[in-house]
Amino acid sequence: MSEKVRVRFAPSPTGPLHMGGVRTALYNYLFAKHNGGDFLIRIEDTDQTRYVPGAEQYILDSLKWVGLTADEGPENPGDCGPYRQSERKDFYKKYAQQLIDSGWGYYAFDTPEELDEVRNRAKEMKMPNWQYNSITRSAMKNSLTLSEDEVKQRLANGDPYVVRLKAPRNEELRLHDLIRGWVVVNTSNIDDKVLFKGDGMPTYHLANVVDDHAMRITHVIRGEEWLPSAPTHVLLYRALGWEDSMPSFAHLPLILKPDGNGKLSKRDGDRLGFPVFPLEWTDPESGEVSSGYRQKGYFPEAFINMLAFLGWNPGTEKELYTIDELIADFTLERVGKAGAKFDADKTKWFNQQYLRAKSNQELAELVKPYLDKKGYSASQSFLETFCGLQKERATFIEEMVDESFYFEAPKELDSDTVAKKWKPDTAAIIEQLKVILLNIADFNEDHIEMEFKKFLDSNGYGFGKVMPGFRLLVTGKGMGPSMSAICALIGKDEVISRIESGLKKLR
Ligand code: GLU
């Protein structure tokens, strides 16, 4: 039997989670669940200089909001804990040592100033992309160039050092990516990455590989920006003797700006008129607030459905997917290589579809807080009917309460409609209609509809001669949902009183 699928989402808490990060988590989750496997969360917080307070909690809260529950993570550890790299610090040192002992790693003592100097000199000589690598290392200060005694002495003195990977020279390295196919790199193009720092902390590369191995990760599914690091990781698996259990790689396509010009970045968000973050985020330093999908009124299911289609498609026309349906249909074979353009209108469309699909009962619960804010209240059955009428016209719950006429008489009558539709004979016609309405014993939608039609027929009036004026007085507007339904909902007394006071205003 093949081993159990285990994947991880491994964010660094250097800021709020971008929607691209949520998509990476989602694809990991869907892949795990589709294959009956485990989805892990691991916090990669080894770079203390980039630590942002609140970011980890924000990431965990975001995943909770969209319902991506981890099988193992910092909040529900399994047998591979801890799930925060800063708490695994002691774990990495022995691997750094192992790499040095086996010749795959070496000490480097070059100071930041010395490195800058070399880089600048290279730039002056028109070689802008200087790298610490299989060629340049021989001219640097490291355990490959210094005498054994000097290295010992420096270490004993506590001189600052790092441990670097000794990338082999001029070898062909082939790596298979489940989305991109074979990627071939010459190892001379791989630089000698820093793996471990003198302060006792590993860098991303070492910690990431060591933990993927320790946590029995079978598939590494992450953003395309990590593809250039993958050859280094393959070398590390080889160097640590873990090549046989190396995970498979899948690098997800970029999410592009709506115009297709470049990657959608954290800075794009509100600038382009839509959130890039799942939840609202307040920068702890500047206090700047960035909007979030949740606070903008998006349903998590709609947000997830939209994200699922940013890079994946089922190959059919079907677009509305519950999470269980996504789990059933999701495969990496159907994830594309090309960048996926973000579409803010499509995101709204998804929300609208989810709003319409909700029952009136559920919507009634959801609108209550917004009605409270406006000081409106109504019975449950009133609210359910109200939601049934408003849901076809709204993308967000908040928009459903835009119309106040359901809850109070219109304060103003739309001047445009008055100018265009209120004719010299309209008042008299509405007076006639009022009598008809007053005589309807059981004031329900069907009866109102029937009596209204009868009224038109028996007087030879066209619909356009009566309806606009009638609607104007009752709702203050020129357009809206069915008038019979609105009247039945607000009740006969209210309708009559609005007609009377409207007529007075327009006299
Ligand atoms: N910590 C990396 C990040 O922030 C994880 C990359 C990976 O999945 O290997 O995206």
Side-chain angles (χ1 to χ4, degrees):
M1 212 188 82
S2 62
E3 63 186 329
K4 188 176 194 188
V5 163
R6 283 171 66 84
V7 298
R8 81 314 190 260
F9 177 55
S12 299
T14 54
L17 189 60
H18 178 263
M19 69 166 117
V22 184
R23 187 199 58 174
T24 299
L26 172 66
Y27 284 16
N28 271 284
Y29 177 87
L30 296 176
F31 181 80
K33 298 301 143 191
H34 181 89
N35 292 294
D38 293 333
F39 169 64
L40 282 68
I41 296 176
R42 180 175 73 225
I43 302 294
E44 301 209 322
D45 56 352
T46 53
D47 190 351
Q48 298 293 329
T49 59
R50 297 185 61 209
Y51 176 80
V52 173
E56 178 183 323
Q57 197 53 49
Y58 176 95
I59 293 168
L60 297 175
D61 290 346
S62 299
L63 296 179
K64 252 178 240 154
W65 178 58
V66 293
L68 300 182
T69 311
D71 298 292
E72 295 166 32
E75 291 178 323
N76 55 330
D79 63 356
C80 296
Y83 291 79
R84 222 175 258 120
Q85 288 184 330
S86 58
E87 293 168 16
R88 300 168 68 79
K89 224 173 119 180
D90 298 335
F91 195 67
Y92 309 107
K93 200 177 164 111
K94 65 171 182 282
Y95 295 106
Q97 190 59 49
Q98 184 186 326
L99 290 168
I100 289 174
D101 295 344
S102 65
W104 273 97
Y106 60 90
Y107 294 109
F109 300 98
D110 319 270
T111 64
E113 294 76 31
E114 285 165 343
L115 288 169
D116 275 350
E117 205 186 304
V118 181
R119 273 194 205 102
N120 287 337
R121 235 185 299 138
K123 231 184 259 164
E124 278 161 24
M125 292 166 74
K126 305 259 176 300
M127 292 187 295
N129 300 320
W130 183 87
Q131 288 191 324
Y132 208 119
N133 62 21
S134 57
I135 297 170
T136 60
R137 66 168 80 110
S138 60
M140 303 301 291
K141 254 185 221 149
N142 53 51
S143 54
L144 305 171
T145 58
L146 303 173
S147 71
E148 208 171 308
D149 281 349
E150 185 168 356
V151 171
K152 272 196 193 134
Q153 192 59 54
R154 282 176 174 264
L155 292 176
N157 288 349
D159 283 6
Y161 73 89
V162 296
V163 176
R164 287 183 180 270
L165 172 71
K166 190 176 166 201
R169 186 148 176 208
N170 201 19
E171 271 178 35
E172 186 178 278
L173 184 143
R174 294 162 64 80
L175 114 94
H176 188 258
D177 184 281
L178 293 171
I179 295 170
R180 277 143 225 280
W182 286 101
V183 178
V184 184
V185 194
N186 185 301
T187 55
S188 298
N189 295 323
I190 301 174
D191 61 335
D192 288 358
K193 289 255 161 30
V194 174
L195 301 177
F196 194 79
K197 291 176 287 181
D199 65 1
M201 279 300 230
T203 61
Y204 155 72
H205 301 288
L206 182 66
N208 185 270
V209 165
V210 164
D211 284 346
D212 281 347
H213 177 76
M215 295 181 176
R216 305 188 301 277
I217 297 302
T218 58
H219 296 76
V220 167
I221 304 170
R222 60 187 172 192
E224 184 178 290
E225 63 273 27
W226 299 102
L227 187 59
S229 299
T232 300
H233 298 175
V234 173
L235 286 180
L236 276 172
Y237 280 101
R238 197 181 289 174
L240 290 163
W242 300 334
E243 211 168 7
D244 289 347
S245 59
M246 185 168 81
S248 303
F249 291 101
H251 289 91
L252 305 175
L254 293 176
I255 298 180
L256 306 176
K257 290 189 217 298
D259 64 6
N261 267 329
K263 187 176 156 178
L264 182 69
S265 82
K266 286 191 177 183
R267 287 176 303 280
D268 286 328
D270 297 317
R271 194 173 66 81
L272 296 176
F274 52 82
V276 286
F277 299 123
L279 313 179
E280 197 170 272
W281 165 260
T282 307
D283 187 288
E285 251 178 47
S286 65
E288 190 191 338
V289 179
S290 306
S291 69
Y293 280 89
R294 180 186 189 163
Q295 286 78 5
K296 286 271 180 199
Y298 285 85
F299 300 116
E301 313 90 278
F303 182 56
I304 281 294
N305 198 154
M306 177 279 291
L307 283 179
F309 276 76
L310 273 184
W312 170 85
N313 72 76
T316 65
E317 295 292 299
K318 184 172 157 79
E319 288 188 287
L320 295 175
Y321 266 86
T322 63
I323 192 79
D324 287 334
E325 290 168 331
L326 285 171
I327 291 171
D329 284 5
F330 183 85
T331 59
L332 288 173
E333 285 80 49
R334 296 217 59 91
V335 174
K337 287 199 257 295
K341 261 192 253 174
F342 174 72
D343 183 342
D345 291 336
K346 189 75 191 192
T347 309
K348 286 191 181 151
W349 178 84
F350 274 112
N351 213 60
Q352 195 176 34
Q353 301 307 307
Y354 277 84
L355 191 149
R356 285 183 191 174
K358 291 198 188 293
S359 70
N360 294 343
Q361 202 184 351
E362 195 181 342
L363 290 171
E365 285 310 314
L366 294 171
V367 295
K368 271 182 196 154
Y370 295 102
L371 291 174
D372 284 349
K373 247 197 259 171
K374 297 197 161 190
Y376 298 140
S377 64
S379 70
Q380 182 66 19
S381 75
F382 181 101
L383 285 184
E384 287 179 20
T385 310
F386 158 76
C387 289
L389 290 173
Q390 283 299 93
K391 73 176 169 189
E392 295 303 321
R393 311 173 163 261
T395 302
F396 300 104
I397 297 288
E398 191 169 8
E399 284 174 4
M400 290 175 64
V401 306
D402 278 353
E403 302 292 12
S404 55
F405 66 74
Y406 289 99
F407 304 95
E408 58 184 359
K411 294 200 174 69
E412 279 162 34
L413 305 179
D414 177 59
S415 54
D416 233 31
T417 313
V418 175
K420 285 195 194 117
K421 306 285 180 179
W422 196 262
K423 300 280 154 61
D425 60 349
T426 312
I429 294 172
I430 302 290
E431 285 285 4
Q432 271 182 295
L433 176 63
K434 188 181 104 181
V435 178
I436 301 292
L437 294 171
L438 269 171
N439 282 327
I440 302 176
D442 186 0
F443 202 72
N444 67 31
E445 187 178 346
D446 288 345
H447 290 166
I448 300 168
E449 185 82 28
M450 216 167 60
E451 292 301 325
F452 184 79
K453 280 209 182 104
K454 251 201 265 165
F455 172 70
L456 295 187
D457 288 349
S458 57
N459 291 287
Y461 295 146
F463 187 83
K465 199 172 175 67
V466 187
M467 185 52 97
F470 177 33
R471 182 183 293 282
L472 179 72
L473 298 191
V474 176
T475 71
K477 303 276 163 106
M479 275 182 318
S482 146
M483 273 304 285
S484 321
I486 293 172
C487 290
L489 180 62
I490 65 179
K492 193 190 325 188
D493 293 347
E494 182 65 21
V495 172
I496 300 300
S497 122
R498 290 186 189 187
I499 289 177
E500 285 171 351
S501 63
L503 283 172
K504 258 184 232 153
K505 274 187 203 159
L506 292 174
R507 203 174 282 145

